[in-house]
Amino acid sequence: MSSLAHHHRPALLRALTVAAAALVLLATALTDAAFAHGSATDPPSRNYGCWQRWGSKFQDPSMATQDPMCWQAWQADPNAMWNWNGLYREQVKGNHQAAIPDGQLCSAGRTQGGRYQALDAVGAWQAAPKSRNFAVTVFDQARHGADYIRVYVTRQGFDPTRQSLGWGNLELVSQIGNTPASQWQQGSNGVTISIPASAPGRTGRHIVYTIWQASHMDQSYYFCSDVTFS
């Protein structure tokens, strides 16, 4: 073997290793997506927002200063963003508070082996500006519809940049009952529904917490969406 070939072999092996790792990551994301279903898209859930803003440039170092909470989430587990539509738990049987401890609401009790744990991190997540009369839009990729959807908002005085989210910080502000996918707004890639809500007395930063109970089986989805109420 020539000395030139020997010199280039380590670099080639490194390149092949990186390429193989990228293919495994993509295959995992595509496989998981096949069994996933949706998210809150407006105001966006934390991982949907991170994917929407940075999915095409998730290795851009400027994210660390422009969007530091998304940066730490991408570093912790990129699959939490690629699989933005898979943040659920099964067989909760409606006992949401028993299944999900305080401080773990945004990750659905560290579901999926802790994949979404970084979404529980306390800090200044990018927040969508909203009026106190607003709506939550849920996207259902698999067209399963809902047994119910419940929308909560943090109580006035709660500071999501300094406090971890617990059930006692939330107030139910809106809900809908059984709603088949045929009654949702139809789209080429799935269906959407908007749930009107009102958060009187709220100003400043808050978390909108949405529980979507899908109709096809006992599968519960949990979304933390950061907002700023004017």
Side-chain angles (χ1 to χ4, degrees):
M1 181 181 293
S2 70
S3 60
L4 182 62
H6 180 76
H7 174 74
H8 284 292
R9 186 165 59 177
L12 177 61
L13 289 174
R14 284 196 298 271
L16 290 173
T17 300
V18 170
L23 288 173
V24 170
L25 181 64
L26 179 60
T28 301
L30 291 175
T31 300
D32 289 344
F35 299 99
H37 304 281
S39 187
T41 57
D42 183 23
S45 64
R46 286 180 171 176
N47 56 332
Y48 178 78
C50 288
W51 171 80
Q52 192 177 43
R53 293 190 296 273
W54 297 99
S56 62
K57 48 183 178 178
F58 67 96
Q59 293 177 315
D60 187 341
S62 66
M63 189 194 328
T65 53
Q66 295 179 20
D67 202 347
M69 298 310 295
C70 278
W71 173 258
Q72 64 85 30
W74 279 102
Q75 302 310 301
D77 193 335
N79 276 320
M81 273 59 68
W82 298 127
N83 293 285
W84 53 265
N85 51 8
L87 208 171
Y88 63 86
R89 294 186 70 92
E90 294 182 334
Q91 301 301 315
V92 172
K93 302 184 186 304
N95 297 321
H96 305 291
Q97 295 189 37
I100 302 175
D102 286 348
Q104 299 180 19
L105 274 66
C106 297
S107 67
R110 299 179 181 173
T111 189
Q112 313 294 324
R115 170 181 292 171
Y116 301 96
Q117 182 174 344
L119 303 183
D120 291 319
V122 177
W125 291 85
Q126 284 204 16
K130 292 292 177 182
S131 70
R132 288 189 288 266
N133 295 313
F134 65 103
V136 172
T137 299
V138 174
F139 171 65
D140 177 2
Q141 189 175 31
R143 294 178 166 87
H144 286 312
D147 284 347
Y148 56 82
I149 299 175
R150 297 173 182 167
V151 178
Y152 301 79
V153 174
T154 48
R155 300 180 188 278
Q156 188 64 19
F158 176 79
D159 184 354
T161 69
R162 297 177 180 272
Q163 298 171 260
S164 61
L165 183 63
W167 291 102
N169 304 125
L170 295 171
E171 180 183 359
L172 181 67
V173 297
S174 186
Q175 59 183 322
I176 61 172
N178 183 267
T179 314
S182 60
Q183 297 179 14
W184 295 36
Q185 183 175 347
Q186 304 299 307
S188 58
N189 297 317
V191 293
T192 58
I193 193 168
S194 291
I195 303 95
S198 178
R202 268 57 164 206
T203 58
R205 295 189 67 108
H206 282 273
I207 294 174
V208 175
Y209 192 66
T210 305
I211 300 176
W212 165 33
Q213 184 68 39
S215 291
H216 68 299
M217 58 187 299
D218 188 359
Q219 199 168 68
S220 310
Y221 291 75
Y222 304 90
F223 313 127
C224 278
S225 303
D226 294 273
V227 300
T228 300
F229 289 119
S230 58

